[in-house]
Amino acid sequence: MHKDSLVVFSGRPDRITDAPLNGPIHINSTHYGDGQLIYGRYGNETWQQLELAISDLEGGKTLVFSSGMAAISAFLNTLSPGSRIVALKNGYAGTLLWLKNANESGRFNVEFVDTSDTATLLNSVLGADVLFLESPTNPLIEVVDLPVVIPFAKNIGCAVVVDNTFATPLNQNPIKMGADVVVHSLTKYISGHSDIVLGSITTNDDSLYSKLDLERKLGGGIAGPMESWLALRGLRTLSVRLEKSQDNAIKIANRLNNSPFINKVMYPGLESDPFHSRASSFMTGFGAVMSFEINGTAEQAEQICLSSNLVAYATSLGGVESLWERRRRIKSEMTNIPENLIRLSVGIENVEDLWDDISSSICKVLG
Ligand SMILES: *Cc1c(COP(=O)(O)O)cnc(C)c1O
């Protein structure tokens, strides 16, 4: 089945008479007997439905967690002390801060590299135990050359983890390219309605799966059944939401790119973007998050975000609602992100309404 069928089909109850089309929300802390589930921190049938659906899309076995960061930290907690990790220099601020702290405390030996530069990356992977990637990256929307980097790392015995949140399983499947682990912030595109926080991790390595399962049981970062059900409900429309968002995004990126008030637009869908040909060679879509630097100051970027009527000034991304923010207002954001950079997550609204709102907000402040 194609992936746009799987998002609709996977993770449903068996088709027997009087079975419901959608599984119930299992609100329970315990289960009868000595079976698979036992206790509410060990297993839950609503998690399992969502896990099956993500597994079908990414290839491998999935565990859902209370957040994307819970999934990421559960994985990192399975690594031996002293592990050598090569990680992206530009990426999700929460992941980077976690790794930076683990490096400073001496728990892991982490090297942060520019993962968009393939030669540098291949060189640093030599001798590493784990390569931690994100592609496209947050918030600079850089694309890693996954079809080159993943097999190279695997060949020298380095495990590869890819945070696939920005691409979604519809635009690329890193496990099918040879990666060991895929993580998602389900908070973003997969749930898609800016209403829950949830995460997942998928792997095709059975021994790692068991370690992660134990990490979830003992770490306790378990998903709520209600959130799991909502994520599965959101997943059903992922393909149409993503398609509309991407259609809107390319139009808006092109218009921003031609605006005298904008210095630089970062979006791999643009032909002028340095990652356009790389992304086109293996991704089936460019996603719908872009960043741009305005021809103005941090204060003006802030004013632009506050001036909009339709686009909401809020953090996060991947929902049906368009959101934007000046990234550096977040204190934990990396200091190499320009102060006047705005990250825009394009939603599924009418593109002309979006452009009217975006262009008039920009003109009001810079015009
Ligand atoms: C949001 C995000 C995370 C963290 O996920 P939470 O669900 O907020 O914990 C991790 N990686 C990327 C790329 C993200 O955008």
Side-chain angles (χ1 to χ4, degrees):
M1 246 187 240
H2 292 89
K3 288 186 274 183
D4 48 352
S5 298
L6 287 176
V7 296
V8 176
F9 176 82
S10 291
R12 297 205 185 253
D14 290 340
R15 294 187 176 188
I16 49 177
T17 303
D18 281 341
L21 263 84
N22 297 292
I25 306 171
H26 291 266
I27 307 269
N28 288 294
S29 66
T30 191
H31 307 92
Y32 289 113
D34 187 22
Q36 297 293 311
L37 298 174
I38 304 180
Y39 183 52
R41 182 156 37 75
Y42 297 5
N44 175 283
E45 285 180 76
T46 311
W47 304 348
Q48 290 177 342
Q49 291 165 2
L50 175 61
E51 288 169 349
L52 274 176
I54 297 168
S55 299
D56 282 348
L57 287 163
E58 288 288 17
K61 278 163 76 181
T62 302
L63 292 143
V64 295
F65 282 83
S66 54
S67 67
M69 281 312 299
I72 289 168
S73 56
F75 168 75
L76 293 169
N77 281 332
T78 66
L79 303 177
S80 312
S83 290
R84 195 173 156 236
I85 304 174
V86 170
L88 69 173
K89 186 169 78 184
N90 300 323
Y92 181 64
T95 308
L96 295 189
L97 193 55
W98 202 108
L99 288 168
K100 207 167 137 242
N101 289 339
N103 190 45
E104 281 167 10
S105 70
R107 180 175 176 186
F108 298 136
N109 174 359
V110 189
E111 188 189 348
F112 296 95
V113 302
D114 175 358
T115 52
S116 71
D117 178 347
T118 307
T120 308
L121 178 56
L122 297 187
N123 211 34
S124 10
V125 161
L126 298 168
D129 300 304
V130 175
L131 172 60
F132 197 108
L133 299 170
E134 201 177 289
S135 186
T137 61
N138 186 0
L140 295 179
I141 330 293
E142 296 167 333
V143 177
V144 181
D145 200 351
L146 297 178
V148 170
V149 172
I150 295 173
F152 181 89
K154 289 305 299 170
N155 266 334
I156 57 168
C158 173
V160 182
V161 183
V162 181
D163 182 332
N164 207 25
T165 301
F166 270 45
T168 86
L170 298 187
N171 283 340
Q172 70 189 16
N173 295 119
I175 289 177
K176 292 181 183 154
M177 295 182 212
D180 302 86
V181 178
V182 160
V183 295
H184 278 287
S185 170
L186 303 177
T187 313
K188 316 292 169 54
Y189 282 103
I190 290 184
S191 68
H193 293 74
S194 307
D195 50 9
I196 58 162
V197 175
L198 209 68
S200 71
I201 186 157
T202 305
T203 181
N204 54 9
D205 174 336
D206 286 341
S207 103
L208 177 61
Y209 177 88
S210 304
K211 287 184 195 168
L212 288 165
D213 189 33
L214 187 64
E215 194 58 47
R216 182 171 65 182
K217 280 179 182 155
L218 301 182
I222 58 167
M226 180 75 188
E227 281 79 359
S228 304
W229 192 92
L230 283 169
L232 189 55
R233 158 75 172 254
L235 177 71
R236 301 298 182 214
T237 55
L238 176 63
S239 76
V240 283
R241 284 187 284 106
L242 188 67
E243 199 175 308
K244 175 84 192 263
S245 298
Q246 288 181 155
D247 280 355
N248 285 350
I250 186 64
K251 289 178 186 142
I252 288 166
N254 271 307
R255 292 180 196 184
L256 285 171
N257 211 22
N258 291 327
S259 162
F261 303 121
I262 305 301
N263 272 346
K264 186 180 173 193
V265 182
M266 287 147 259
Y267 182 63
L270 287 173
E271 275 170 35
S272 57
D273 189 88
F275 300 106
H276 180 71
S277 64
R278 180 181 289 175
S280 309
S281 76
F282 67 91
M283 296 178 73
T284 50
F286 301 108
V289 184
M290 68 189 70
S291 289
F292 55 93
E293 283 171 42
I294 63 161
N295 209 337
T297 63
E299 290 67 33
Q300 287 170 319
E302 198 82 33
Q303 281 166 21
I304 289 171
C305 292
L306 285 167
S307 300
S308 58
N309 182 38
L310 178 57
V311 181
Y313 185 3
T315 198
S316 201
L317 55 102
V320 291
E321 317 81 3
S322 295
L323 307 177
W324 61 3
E325 70 173 330
R326 186 178 76 86
R327 270 309 289 178
R328 287 294 299 281
R329 81 190 169 106
I330 308 271
K331 295 291 166 275
S332 60
E333 184 53 284
M334 299 170 295
T335 50
N336 63 333
I337 303 303
E339 286 278 5
N340 62 352
L341 177 143
I342 295 173
R343 187 186 69 193
L344 167 64
S345 171
V346 180
I348 65 169
E349 302 92 338
N350 177 280
V351 71
E352 298 307 331
D353 290 344
L354 283 175
W355 180 247
D356 282 349
D357 190 46
I358 291 167
S359 58
S360 66
S361 304
I362 292 171
C363 277
K364 215 180 288 168
V365 177
L366 298 177

